[in-house]
Every structure is written in C-alpha cells, then in structure tokens.
Amino acid sequence: MNISRVGLDLAKQVFQVHGVDSHERVVCRRQLKRAQMLDFFRQLAPCLVAMEACGSAHYWARELQGLGHEVRLIAPQFVKPYVKGDKHDAHDAEAICEAASRPSMRFVPVKSAQQQAGQSVHRIRSRLVRARTALCNEIRGLLGEFGLIASRRGRAATVELLETVTAAEPVPLPAPMGELLSGLKEELQALDARIERLERVIKRSAREDARIQRLLAVEGIGPLTASAVVAAVGDARQFRTARQFAAWLGLVPRQHSTGGQQRLGGITKRGDTYLRTLFTHGSRSVVRCCANKTDARSRWLQGLLQRCNANAVAVALANKNARIVWALLSRETTYQPA
C-alpha cells in the first residue's frame, strides 16, 4: 500500500486505521487489535501518522517514532469539526486523517516518558492534597456538631484542635467518637507523610534539572511550579511567542471583538488548570509581600494595586511570569531581573 498519511483512532483493545495516498485517495480502512498494531506499522513505509492527543497517545507516538514514522498529535476539539455523519471509530479515524492535512492545524508535541513520569508525581500529589482538605473539612464538621470549633482557619488549626480533643483525659465526647477521631488522626498523618514524600521527590528532581534551576530564580516560582512546567512543556520552542505560551495557560483576556471594536473580558482559563493555579498562587504570595520593597517589579505591583484589586494584580503577575518562563526555557538563558 502506498500510504502517505494515516489517521489512527486509539482505544484500549481495538484501533481504527484510515490511510490515504499522496493523491488523497483512501487506500486503507481496517481495524487492528492491540497485538497487531506494531506489526502493521512495521510493515508500512515511513509516513505521517496522526492521532488524537488522548490517553496512551504519547506512548503510541513514541513507539511509532521508533519505527521511523512521523507522528502528529491533535487536540480532540480540533478534530471534531471534521467528523462526517454519526460518531464511530471509522469516522473518527477519517476525521483525524483529514484534520492532519490542514496547513494551519496546531499539533501537540509528543512527551517523553520522563515528562509523563514527572506529571504523574504532580497528579498524585494533587489528588492527595484534595483528599487531605476533604478530610480536614470532615473533622471540623464532626467536631462542630459537639460545639468544638477551631479558633482559626487552615489545616494547622484543625490538627491542633484534633490533638487537643484526642489528648484530653477523658475525651469530652461520647464513647464512639474518641475511637473515630483517633482513626481520622492516623489517616491525616498518613496523608501528610505521603504528600511529604512526593514533595521530596519533586525537590530532588528540581536539584538535578538545570532548566528547573533557571526557573527558580523568578520570584513567585518555586519547585512545584518549575517542575510542573518542565514536565508539561519540555521544549518551550513549540510556542512561537511568549504570549502564545500565556494563552496556552489561559492567562490572557477573553476577546469578543467585532467591527473594529475590541472587547476584552476576564481571562480565558483555557489549558492546564493545575499549571495556571500554581502560577496564580505563586503570584499571590509575591503581591502580598511587595508593599515594602523598592525594586522595579515591586513598584510596578504597587502601582497596579492602587488601580486594581489584588486578584487582578496576581493574574497580571502570573501572566508576566509565564512570559519570563517561556523566554528562559526557549532561549536557555538565566533570569536577569530589571
């Protein structure tokens, strides 16, 4: 078969292939079992293989690149307009093949196994932090039913209240509650220990990666943000400009402009929510501590705070930091504050 481009619809066990030749004629439509995938593409001459950027896409992209094929990943929302008729695997593979032929199509870079491992650490930590927050809320709610209220907000106050109640002799609660609270205390300590272990892994990888070390020089970016950016982006040269990187994070204004009249709203909030959250929280800490500083960035923030609320200023700084990160990663330079 003289195949020049293949659209591949991924699944767990059954894959759909749609291949066209150099004249855009369909020359291959077939289903493949998982065990047949590599054998099929091993027999093909090197060609362009397009897939949706979904689960297992980066794994298959690395495998097919190892066989000499050129692989391009497309975001699912860019494939949807090319689906003809009802949705099924054959139509999806055809739409992927058609979308890959568009000269203006944007593609997702293939991640290395190391990048995906780094992202896995962050995802597990994020899940554990959510579970710990939910557990703290449950503890506060249970104790509040018995009139025991923490004096302030936050996890530390919840732990302090829990320690006080469980250490009291006798426990000032009905018999079952003492045992329940002891179990919740052990569960909370286990979550704290797991999160601490993952943070040690992140900090160790930060010490070993020169790219992360360059990012740590930027005020408002710590090991969590720097390692998450490097794991998600890798080579920032995939973005042509710093604004494109900030737009990918969802930190630029949403536009609804027409007739030469420009209308800008709040930020788009597109892209990776976790990365955007890290950038924003890091910026909040900088904004909170800028009042008594005299450097150029702090003076800029002080001027913004006189005109805007603190949340808008934090997002503005997050946008600026995102552009600085793009420059540091794409040009491989060190941070030089003004």
Side-chain angles (χ1 to χ4, degrees):
M1 291 182 291
N2 184 23
I3 295 179
S4 64
R5 188 173 69 255
V6 172
L8 178 61
D9 184 56
L10 298 175
K12 291 185 177 68
Q13 300 297 336
V14 180
F15 302 79
Q16 183 71 36
V17 173
H18 182 94
V20 298
D21 61 15
S22 57
H23 300 289
E24 298 294 328
R25 290 185 298 231
V26 179
V27 293
C28 177
R29 283 196 188 102
R30 61 175 297 182
Q31 275 189 353
L32 297 174
K33 299 293 186 182
R34 188 179 185 87
Q36 300 173 318
M37 273 281 289
L38 293 180
D39 288 336
F40 174 81
F41 283 99
R42 194 176 288 116
Q43 296 169 11
L44 287 184
C47 62
L48 172 63
V49 181
M51 300 179 284
E52 282 187 334
C54 57
S56 76
H58 294 280
Y59 162 75
W60 286 113
R62 292 193 296 269
E63 292 292 324
L64 297 181
Q65 284 177 339
L67 298 177
H69 298 287
E70 180 186 357
V71 180
R72 292 182 180 175
L73 304 182
I74 308 173
Q77 65 266 27
F78 295 151
V79 174
K80 184 65 176 175
Y82 296 94
V83 177
K84 300 172 185 174
D86 297 329
K87 185 199 179 316
H88 54 75
D89 291 349
H91 282 173
D92 289 345
E94 182 180 359
I96 294 168
C97 188
E98 177 68 22
S101 68
R102 298 299 90 194
S104 60
M105 182 57 63
R106 292 183 298 212
F107 300 102
V108 178
V110 178
K111 288 184 174 64
S112 66
Q114 189 62 37
Q115 282 181 267
Q116 289 191 288
Q119 284 190 305
S120 299
V121 174
H122 280 273
R123 285 171 181 157
I124 294 172
R125 179 191 172 277
S126 180
R127 175 179 61 81
L128 292 176
V129 169
R130 290 197 301 271
R132 184 175 66 181
T133 302
L135 181 59
C136 288
N137 290 338
E138 182 180 12
I139 292 170
R140 294 170 77 103
L142 290 173
L143 293 177
E145 292 296 325
F146 295 93
L148 300 171
I149 305 298
S151 58
R152 60 187 189 280
R153 298 179 180 178
R155 181 174 60 89
T158 304
V159 173
E160 182 180 334
L161 176 62
L162 187 60
E163 292 279 358
T164 303
V165 173
T166 55
E169 288 292 342
V171 176
L173 293 173
M177 286 303 299
E179 185 177 350
L180 289 176
L181 291 176
S182 297
L184 292 174
K185 179 181 175 181
E186 293 174 1
E187 186 178 351
L188 186 58
Q189 289 173 343
L191 284 174
D192 284 336
R194 290 191 64 187
I195 292 171
E196 186 178 350
R197 285 198 299 271
L198 290 177
E199 289 178 348
R200 285 200 298 268
V201 171
I202 292 173
K203 290 177 181 177
R204 184 170 65 248
S205 66
R207 288 193 298 269
E208 297 170 354
D209 195 317
R211 296 171 297 177
I212 296 178
Q213 289 298 315
R214 288 201 301 271
L215 299 185
L216 291 179
V218 183
E219 193 176 11
I221 294 181
L224 278 178
T225 307
S227 59
V229 169
V230 169
V233 177
D235 184 7
R237 284 172 290 192
Q238 61 187 278
F239 302 99
R240 292 193 304 272
T241 63
R243 188 192 183 282
Q244 195 177 76
F245 177 60
W248 178 73
L249 290 173
L251 289 170
V252 298
R254 184 185 300 276
Q255 287 202 50
H256 187 77
S257 305
T258 183
Q261 185 175 5
Q262 191 178 47
R263 296 187 181 93
L264 300 179
I267 58 173
T268 63
K269 295 186 179 179
R270 293 174 180 159
D272 194 322
T273 303
Y274 179 68
L275 274 181
R276 186 172 59 254
T277 301
L278 291 177
F279 270 98
T280 306
H281 285 340
S283 300
R284 281 201 177 101
S285 65
V286 176
V287 171
R288 190 167 55 245
C289 303
C290 73
N292 298 321
K293 297 182 180 180
T294 58
D295 58 283
R297 169 177 284 213
S298 297
R299 292 199 305 272
W300 173 69
L301 291 174
Q302 291 162 14
L304 285 181
L305 286 170
Q306 294 176 0
R307 307 190 303 271
C308 311
N309 64 67
N311 285 334
V313 175
V315 172
L317 180 59
N319 185 300
K320 181 184 283 288
N321 282 347
R323 295 172 184 241
I324 293 172
V325 164
W326 175 86
L328 297 180
L329 290 178
S330 61
R331 300 171 186 168
E332 298 182 358
T333 58
T334 56
Y335 178 59
Q336 299 176 357

